[in-house]
Amino acid sequence: MTDSTEGGTTSNTISGGIFFHAVIQGRDITVQLPPAVTPALSGLPAPAPAFTGRDQHVEQLLAALAPTTDGGGGAVLVSAVSGLAGIGKSELAVQAATLALGQGWFPGGVLFTDLAGYDPERRLTPERALEGLLRALAIPGEHIPNGLEDRQRLYRSVLAAYARENRRLLVVIDNVSTADQAAPLLPTDSITAALVTSRHTLDGLNARFHDLDTLNDTTSTDVLDQALRHARGDHDTRIADNPQAAATIARLCAGLPLALRIAAAILAAAPTRPAASLATALQAEHSRLDKLARPDRAVRAAFDLSYQQLPASQARLFRLMPLNPGPDLSTGAAAHLADTNTDATEELLQHLAEAHLIEPALVWGRWRMHDLVRLYASEHGHTHTTCDQRDISRTRLFTHYQDTAQAADTHLQTLPGPRDPRFPNRATALEWLDAEYPNLTATATAAPALGHPEISCSLAYDLSRYLDYRRYFDDQVTLTATALTISREFGDRHGEGQALGTLGRALQRVRRFEEAIDAHTQATTIFRELGDRHSEGQVMNNLGLALREVRRFEEAIDAHTQDLAICRELGERHGEGQGLDNLGSVLQEVRRFEEAIDAHTQATTIFRELGDRHGEGQTLNNLGLALREVRRFEEAIDAHTQGLAICREFGDRHSEGQTLNNLGLALREVRRFEEAIDAHTQDLAICREFGDRHGEGQTLNNLGLALREVRRFEEAIDAHTQATTIFRELGDRHSEGQTLNNLGNALREVRRFEEAIDAHTQATTIFRELGDRHSEAQALNNIDTALQEMRGHFEQ
């Protein structure tokens, strides 16, 4: 304190502090200040030692908190961290605040207040919160006004004064439920920074949003390990010692930090309990939330505070959402579930998302629930079964899936005909099927146990074309096997035959040929018993396809011939075209190429007459193969080129790949080797895109042939070697033999004669086992050629 006198005027100046109450001044007054009056600016909770997986969020918050070069505030003065209860919002804010303080960015300190916004018993009003903050700033109680506006003005004046004195403060406002609760506590001096946490995405705060998601599996395991070691010491390695159990606990906690810390606390409280024991205890869905609890905290209790804030309409939809058996829910499906219009449903869903009880999926209009929230919502749903009309709601949802799948399927049919107006075209139907596919398959699987077996059967058949198009063959096997079980339980013989026929096709696609033959044989018997000639013919056609795959060619020809007779008897032209095309393919296998060309040509004519462009494209591809065998190469190239254009017209990527592969074979025959290599390379990419290992093996083999023609022998050897490995993995002995024979020819070109002879010898053995005399003769001839070349090489 200093004083001066000029012209009889006394002035006093007090420096070294900030004062917001009366100061007595006079000419001869001496004020002895204490060394320091320390406001309560260190109320920040201690940061948790086990904190990981949030590096990006911490960096973003620190970037917002960092002072600018002129010492003022950062560009973002209010950062709002939001997310699900237990997601780690408060901990993130504390960690970021602690680091910012350590950087010296807030020399005035930090103000921290927990507004307990979701707890009706502990919730702080803005008036009470301001009182606490002003006291923390060393404002005596007698100088704190009563009204909200007066307290707000004083509070902001104090923050601004600190800023002017270069003692910038950080305000952390935790656990906010509404924007109105937090807004009076925010600084307005353009220098002081604030961090806000809430379970809601809060509008009206002029804040930068930071939405927290769950932790991934690896980080979740790290949290478990760190928390347990902190509690028990580094010698407690139960998490590290049992990675499988740790991964299970992490998965069942679904990446929720609160659940992970509770799980670690459970283990810490029982030092002899193995991690596997806790993993087993958490498996049961009905008791998982009960298990994830400690005396001072619980997952269910955290969710309770959010759920209790919901209006009735939001709470009802929240309780109904777990009725969807799939991973997410579209707005349209939710509208059927809730029996409300789409606009009203979207508004309800958005409010639930703002409360972080659900979250938007990556594509707008789809919504998902955290696994533990789903269990919580389901618990409440069971206690509101009657008032929510859960059974009726589930039926509405399942029927919506069933009806819409049927509508979409009409657009996948290749014959001209009526299409369901719910979809304007094939592309939008496929888009809906792609988006709902996980829900549709989950519904088909869950429906029987929930009293809707008819929906399971319907979906199995209505999705058949889609599953085949997208090559989801394992799901096709599962769904049709379910339909088969249902049909047998109800004594539905026709349904049993239909399921067996569909199952046989799916089994064939996954190369379980003997099972496919058995399923088709059973289906044929049933349809003959019932006198259903049309279905009998369809199954005979598919039986022929399966028989061809196991090289029972004569039986396959007989099956296709019987199918043709039935189709012609019934005047079923489309079935006739399919039967002719498949008959042509098996005639090629027994080297009856002219007959095959005739069959494929007739089939092409039929598909053109009927307007089945897709069937025409497939038949042209098969026709090209037969034409190549009789050395009509230019015609083969033309057939494959036409087929390729049709595949691309339909967006049928897999058939496009097969056609490219066959086109490459024909191009090689006319010495257009670079074009052949390009065609095979394109097909190889498509096979790998679809995970089609058998197609990949075929393409690698054919690519090797083209590479050998341009003397790229080492690449050819590599391609044939990869193909051989694939065919061995898949158990395709005949293709293995063909590839070994081609590998031997490539090895011979680089004078690796011993290896070439070994490859040809293996091929000979395989062809002899399979009874393929033609291929056996080729392999023997190649052995002889290799021996002669080897002798000539050593005689030089």
Side-chain angles (χ1 to χ4, degrees), residues 101-396:
L101 285 173
Q103 293 289 334
W105 295 343
F106 297 99
V110 61
L111 289 170
F112 179 91
T113 182
D114 179 359
L115 298 188
Y118 296 89
D119 187 339
E121 296 181 358
R122 297 175 49 242
R123 183 183 298 123
L124 288 183
T125 63
E127 292 91 338
R128 285 185 57 202
L130 284 169
E131 180 184 359
L133 291 172
L134 287 168
R135 289 183 183 277
L137 289 163
I139 304 299
E142 63 269 22
H143 292 289
I144 297 175
N146 289 324
L148 173 61
E149 291 185 4
D150 289 339
R151 287 183 178 183
Q152 184 176 311
R153 278 195 292 268
L154 176 58
Y155 166 73
R156 287 173 172 169
S157 297
V158 174
L159 296 182
Y162 270 83
R164 287 194 300 273
E165 290 285 327
N166 293 321
R167 296 172 62 183
R168 185 182 179 220
L169 286 165
L170 172 62
V171 180
V172 179
I173 310 169
D174 191 29
N175 211 359
V176 178
S177 60
T178 66
D180 289 342
Q181 190 185 23
L185 281 60
L186 295 178
T188 56
D189 53 56
S190 301
I191 296 176
T192 306
L195 289 177
V196 178
T197 75
S198 177
R199 299 180 187 190
H200 283 76
T201 300
L202 299 175
D203 294 329
L205 297 184
N206 193 27
R208 174 71 55 82
F209 295 131
H210 297 267
D211 291 328
L212 285 193
D213 201 352
T214 52
L215 302 174
N216 62 38
D217 290 345
T218 300
T219 304
S220 295
T221 304
D222 290 342
V223 170
L224 287 169
D225 187 47
Q226 291 176 21
L228 184 58
R229 288 176 187 267
H230 175 73
R232 281 283 168 185
D234 287 340
H235 64 277
D236 195 327
T237 58
R238 280 176 283 174
I239 295 298
D241 292 344
N242 195 335
Q244 184 175 355
T248 299
I249 295 170
R251 175 177 57 81
L252 296 175
C253 289
L256 188 69
L258 173 62
L260 293 164
R261 294 184 187 282
I262 289 173
I266 291 170
L267 289 174
T272 61
R273 184 177 188 177
S277 168
L278 179 57
T280 301
L282 293 176
Q283 291 281 3
E285 288 189 353
H286 70 276
S287 61
R288 190 176 305 155
L289 291 177
D290 294 325
K291 296 285 195 301
L292 289 172
R294 297 296 294 156
D296 60 335
R297 53 196 155 150
V299 171
R300 181 185 282 107
F303 293 164
D304 280 339
L305 296 177
S306 293
Y307 173 70
Q308 290 162 4
Q309 302 286 318
L310 298 177
S313 57
Q314 294 178 34
R316 177 176 176 267
L317 180 55
F318 176 71
R319 295 191 297 266
L320 289 175
M321 287 184 71
L323 293 177
N324 182 54
D328 65 359
L329 191 67
S330 70
T331 301
H336 283 86
L337 186 63
D339 198 23
T340 57
N341 65 63
T342 303
D343 288 342
T345 303
E346 182 175 66
E347 187 173 347
L348 292 174
L349 290 165
Q350 285 180 292
H351 285 309
L352 289 172
E354 288 168 5
H356 288 90
L357 287 169
I358 64 172
E359 56 184 300
L362 295 177
V363 177
W364 176 250
R366 304 197 69 81
W367 313 85
R368 59 193 178 196
M369 272 183 159
H370 184 274
D371 289 351
L372 295 178
V373 174
R374 186 187 184 95
L375 293 179
Y376 177 85
S378 184
E379 283 184 359
H380 280 278
H382 285 296
T383 63
H384 292 75
T385 298
T386 303
C387 66
D388 287 349
Q389 297 183 313
R390 283 171 67 83
D391 291 340
I392 296 173
S393 299
R394 181 189 285 116
T395 300
R396 276 197 308 269

Side-chain angles (χ1 to χ4, degrees), residues 9-138:
T9 301
T10 300
S11 65
N12 306 121
T13 301
I14 303 175
S15 60
I18 299 171
F19 303 94
F20 296 97
H21 48 89
V23 176
I24 301 171
Q25 296 181 301
R27 178 178 179 181
D28 299 317
I29 297 171
T30 301
V31 178
Q32 182 68 46
L33 294 174
V37 177
T38 305
L41 297 177
S42 56
L44 192 67
F51 181 78
T52 187
R54 301 295 194 199
D55 292 350
Q56 183 178 359
H57 288 286
V58 170
E59 289 173 6
Q60 291 171 348
L61 289 177
L62 289 177
L65 295 174
T68 56
T69 53
D70 62 0
V76 179
L77 292 174
V78 181
S79 298
V81 181
S82 58
L84 172 66
I87 203 72
K89 304 177 293 296
S90 300
E91 186 58 42
L92 173 63
V94 168
Q95 295 279 347
T98 301
L99 290 171
L101 285 173
Q103 293 289 334
W105 295 343
F106 297 99
V110 61
L111 289 170
F112 179 91
T113 182
D114 179 359
L115 298 188
Y118 296 89
D119 187 339
E121 296 181 358
R122 297 175 49 242
R123 183 183 298 123
L124 288 183
T125 63
E127 292 91 338
R128 285 185 57 202
L130 284 169
E131 180 184 359
L133 291 172
L134 287 168
R135 289 183 183 277
L137 289 163

Side-chain angles (χ1 to χ4, degrees), residues 248-564:
T248 299
I249 295 170
R251 175 177 57 81
L252 296 175
C253 289
L256 188 69
L258 173 62
L260 293 164
R261 294 184 187 282
I262 289 173
I266 291 170
L267 289 174
T272 61
R273 184 177 188 177
S277 168
L278 179 57
T280 301
L282 293 176
Q283 291 281 3
E285 288 189 353
H286 70 276
S287 61
R288 190 176 305 155
L289 291 177
D290 294 325
K291 296 285 195 301
L292 289 172
R294 297 296 294 156
D296 60 335
R297 53 196 155 150
V299 171
R300 181 185 282 107
F303 293 164
D304 280 339
L305 296 177
S306 293
Y307 173 70
Q308 290 162 4
Q309 302 286 318
L310 298 177
S313 57
Q314 294 178 34
R316 177 176 176 267
L317 180 55
F318 176 71
R319 295 191 297 266
L320 289 175
M321 287 184 71
L323 293 177
N324 182 54
D328 65 359
L329 191 67
S330 70
T331 301
H336 283 86
L337 186 63
D339 198 23
T340 57
N341 65 63
T342 303
D343 288 342
T345 303
E346 182 175 66
E347 187 173 347
L348 292 174
L349 290 165
Q350 285 180 292
H351 285 309
L352 289 172
E354 288 168 5
H356 288 90
L357 287 169
I358 64 172
E359 56 184 300
L362 295 177
V363 177
W364 176 250
R366 304 197 69 81
W367 313 85
R368 59 193 178 196
M369 272 183 159
H370 184 274
D371 289 351
L372 295 178
V373 174
R374 186 187 184 95
L375 293 179
Y376 177 85
S378 184
E379 283 184 359
H380 280 278
H382 285 296
T383 63
H384 292 75
T385 298
T386 303
C387 66
D388 287 349
Q389 297 183 313
R390 283 171 67 83
D391 291 340
I392 296 173
S393 299
R394 181 189 285 116
T395 300
R396 276 197 308 269
L397 177 66
F398 284 10
T399 303
H400 159 69
Y401 284 145
Q402 177 189 24
D403 292 345
T404 316
Q406 289 173 350
D409 184 55
T410 66
H411 290 268
L412 301 191
Q413 296 173 17
T414 56
L415 281 170
R419 302 291 188 258
D420 194 290
R422 272 173 279 193
F423 296 99
N425 51 44
R426 175 186 172 91
T428 54
L430 277 171
E431 183 181 356
W432 183 85
L433 287 166
D434 287 338
E436 296 294 356
Y437 156 67
N439 288 319
L440 296 171
T441 52
T443 298
T445 303
L450 297 169
H452 297 284
E454 75 291 348
I455 288 178
S456 184
C457 292
S458 175
L459 286 171
Y461 304 136
D462 292 331
L463 291 175
S464 181
R465 248 185 291 261
Y466 169 74
L467 295 172
D468 190 64
Y469 178 74
R470 288 298 190 217
R471 302 185 66 78
Y472 296 147
F473 300 129
D474 289 332
D475 283 331
Q476 197 169 22
V477 170
T478 300
L479 296 189
T480 50
T482 301
L484 177 60
T485 300
I486 291 168
S487 297
R488 285 174 172 167
E489 286 177 356
F490 283 86
D492 179 0
R493 289 288 280 166
H494 193 275
E496 181 181 353
Q498 185 180 6
L500 282 164
T502 307
L503 177 61
R505 290 200 310 271
L507 288 167
Q508 180 185 327
R509 295 292 196 177
V510 294
R511 306 190 65 77
R512 291 160 60 178
F513 300 122
E514 294 299 337
E515 293 173 79
I517 291 168
D518 181 61
H520 288 313
T521 303
Q522 290 183 61
T524 302
T525 301
I526 290 171
F527 289 133
R528 283 176 179 162
E529 288 176 3
L530 297 174
D532 184 348
R533 294 283 282 163
H534 180 266
S535 297
E536 178 189 345
Q538 287 182 317
V539 174
M540 290 298 294
N541 187 38
N542 292 326
L543 175 60
L545 294 173
L547 288 165
R548 176 163 63 93
E549 292 288 353
V550 294
R551 306 188 64 76
R552 291 160 61 177
F553 300 129
E554 294 303 329
E555 294 173 76
I557 290 170
D558 180 63
H560 290 309
T561 303
Q562 290 184 58
D563 168 45
L564 271 176

Side-chain angles (χ1 to χ4, degrees), residues 580-601:
L580 282 164
D581 187 37
N582 293 330
L583 175 62
S585 294
V586 73
L587 287 169
Q588 290 189 54
E589 296 287 356
V590 294
R591 308 190 65 75
R592 292 160 60 178
F593 299 121
E594 292 299 338
E595 294 173 78
I597 290 169
D598 181 61
H600 292 311
T601 302

Side-chain angles (χ1 to χ4, degrees), residues 734-754:
H734 192 268
S735 295
E736 180 188 347
Q738 289 178 317
T739 307
L740 281 165
N741 209 18
N742 294 329
L743 174 62
N745 289 332
L747 288 165
R748 202 177 72 238
E749 296 284 0
V750 293
R751 313 179 84 78
R752 290 159 64 177
F753 298 117
E754 294 291 345

